[in-house]
Amino acid sequence: MTNTAITPQPGIMEIALYQGGRSGIAGRSDVLKLSSNENPLGPPPSALAAIAEAAPSAHLYPPTDHAALRGAIGEVHGLDPGRIICGVGSDEVLQFVTQAFAGPGDEIIHTAHGFSLYPVLIRMAGATPVQVPEADRVVDIDAILDAVTERTRVILVTNPGNPTGTMIPVSMLEDLVERVPSHVIVVLDGAYTEYAAGYDGGAALAGSRPNILMTRTFSKIYGLGGLRIGWGYGDRWLIEVMTRIRQPFNLSGVQLAAAEAAVRDRGWVESCAALNADQRARLLGGLRQLGIAADDSHTNFVLARFADAGEAEAANAHLLGDGIIVRQVGGYGFREALRITVGDAGQTGRVIDSLARWRRAA
Ligand SMILES: *Cc1c(COP(=O)(O)O)cnc(C)c1O
């Protein structure tokens, strides 16, 4: 179905229509969804209260400057609010940077197992995606630098990675930004920062260099994926340029209020990180005991690697039979693997038990 008289902008027809992940299983009410790295505890009660409080003002346009939310983020993380931009999920912040700084003829580098949205955002900007390999599922700085050309405008690095769960240390990020030409923006996508003990998401780097942007989200540890809020932090000029293409009312009052309450709720973040660390260790141990390979994870999911694609397919079918939805990651180049979100204690037990039964039956 095409209209030959009307031509879309360059790059748009290269984008495959997004396929949403499975969210239900016909005829089952006890479905356990571990496919989207959502918080097993749901939204924080503090954010739910803020949503209820903000709802009666839904007839009013929201503030356009996001000053209260940027102030809260700055206060909590020790960052300059003037260097923060807020978006509809970090996805929108990633769109700001790709769209504002790259176009037809420009290249944007991303790594082999980065994030499925990156090539889409790059094509949306009309730019050319350049995919570079990783080394044993870990971001490879040298491979990235080898791919840099005069046309490179942006480098997108997910740290910790999705769907790998691995990460590179700050010293290696420093090495990357030290060696990258000054006309290239390095984006550090820190969606899983709060699950990586001791990591600042790249905040210190982004605070000290003119060409680094850190992106963060309220979708993962803050339990607000359905509300769509994220933010970016970087050089004032970068933020100012991106703000020109940000729609003035991109975030609703409800989104802003929920995010502000959530970011101030440090007890929530701490308890979720502790629960995740415990259950992640248990899930990794359980998988390995069953002979299923998995790297140490610095996120709220693990990448379970099976003998081959057929075995991963069989395990997935067995899990679905038990009402458990995990993520097939063939689209990321891992046909032999399944990405499993770390749940609470009961949920993690259910996954391990299901896979143990599958192993015994095999
Ligand atoms: C989940 C995730 C995000 C967050 O996207 P939002 O738009 O903030 O929901 C960003 N990057 C990666 C790699 C992710 O996995």
Side-chain angles (χ1 to χ4, degrees):
M1 203 177 57
T2 49
N3 179 341
T4 50
I6 298 174
T7 312
Q9 288 292 301
I12 291 180
M13 298 313 285
E14 258 74 55
I15 300 172
L17 285 171
Y18 185 80
Q19 302 291 333
R22 185 197 269 267
S23 63
I25 303 174
R28 275 199 93 118
S29 57
D30 61 340
V31 170
L32 173 54
K33 182 170 177 275
L34 298 175
S35 52
S36 298
N37 304 337
E38 293 147 337
N39 192 322
L41 302 184
S46 56
L48 291 178
I51 291 168
E53 204 178 312
S57 302
H59 62 301
L60 301 176
Y61 273 89
T64 182
D65 62 6
H66 306 156
L69 177 56
R70 288 188 297 107
I73 292 169
E75 208 177 299
V76 165
H77 293 289
L79 305 175
D80 175 359
R83 302 178 57 157
I84 292 171
I85 187 169
C86 301
V88 179
S90 49
D91 290 357
E92 195 188 28
V93 180
L94 294 164
Q95 186 186 342
F96 295 153
V97 67
T98 49
Q99 194 186 331
F101 296 102
D106 296 332
E107 296 171 354
I108 298 183
I109 295 173
H110 66 96
T111 68
H113 311 300
F115 182 31
S116 56
L117 189 72
Y118 294 164
V120 175
L121 295 173
I122 296 166
R123 295 284 189 197
M124 278 167 67
T128 305
V130 176
Q131 180 176 305
V132 304
E134 294 178 356
D136 291 331
R137 299 171 301 284
V138 179
V139 166
D140 181 345
I141 299 302
D142 292 319
I144 291 174
L145 288 162
D146 283 348
V148 172
T149 71
E150 263 169 37
R151 293 172 169 231
T152 306
R153 293 288 168 268
V154 180
I155 299 172
L156 300 168
V157 178
T158 328
N159 198 46
N162 173 14
T164 58
T166 63
M167 74 181 292
I168 56 173
V170 170
S171 59
M172 224 177 256
L173 292 174
E174 279 167 357
D175 189 29
L176 171 68
V177 303
E178 199 68 51
R179 291 162 65 193
V180 106
S182 59
H183 72 274
V184 176
I185 298 170
V186 178
V187 177
L188 302 174
D189 180 341
Y192 300 98
T193 297
E194 294 84 358
Y195 299 106
Y199 182 49
D200 72 349
L205 269 179
S208 61
R209 307 266 175 161
N211 60 332
I212 315 293
L213 179 76
M214 169 180 77
T215 61
R216 303 281 288 268
T217 183
F218 285 93
S219 300
K220 304 288 154 60
I221 207 160
Y222 291 102
L224 295 172
L227 222 45
R228 315 302 305 125
I229 318 140
W231 55 283
Y233 171 74
D235 183 75
R236 248 175 206 276
W237 186 73
L238 289 188
I239 298 297
E240 202 220 275
V241 172
M242 293 191 289
T243 301
R244 287 165 196 262
I245 59 166
R246 176 177 70 76
Q247 293 200 28
F249 304 114
N250 63 332
L251 291 177
S252 70
V254 168
Q255 285 167 299
L256 291 166
E260 186 182 341
V263 77
R264 291 191 188 281
D265 196 346
R266 301 324 290 166
W268 172 266
V269 174
E270 262 173 53
S271 63
C272 291
L275 172 71
N276 182 73
D278 286 350
Q279 297 309 315
R280 181 174 65 195
R282 183 172 160 225
L283 180 56
L284 281 170
L287 290 171
R288 289 167 183 164
Q289 214 158 28
L290 294 169
I292 301 164
D295 296 317
D296 284 341
S297 166
H298 303 271
T299 63
N300 66 338
F301 57 83
V302 301
L303 186 68
R305 287 179 286 122
F306 297 82
D308 52 39
E311 200 182 63
E313 186 65 48
N316 187 55
H318 179 88
L319 287 164
L320 282 174
D322 279 346
I324 302 170
I325 302 173
V326 300
R327 182 66 132 247
Q328 292 184 283
V329 279
Y332 282 94
F334 290 118
R335 291 185 57 230
E336 75 292 359
L338 297 173
R339 191 191 69 189
I340 308 173
T341 302
V342 176
D344 63 18
Q347 295 168 344
T348 303
R350 206 170 137 186
V351 172
I352 296 172
D353 289 349
S354 175
L355 287 171
R357 279 194 303 277
W358 168 70
R359 271 293 199 231
R360 278 198 299 274

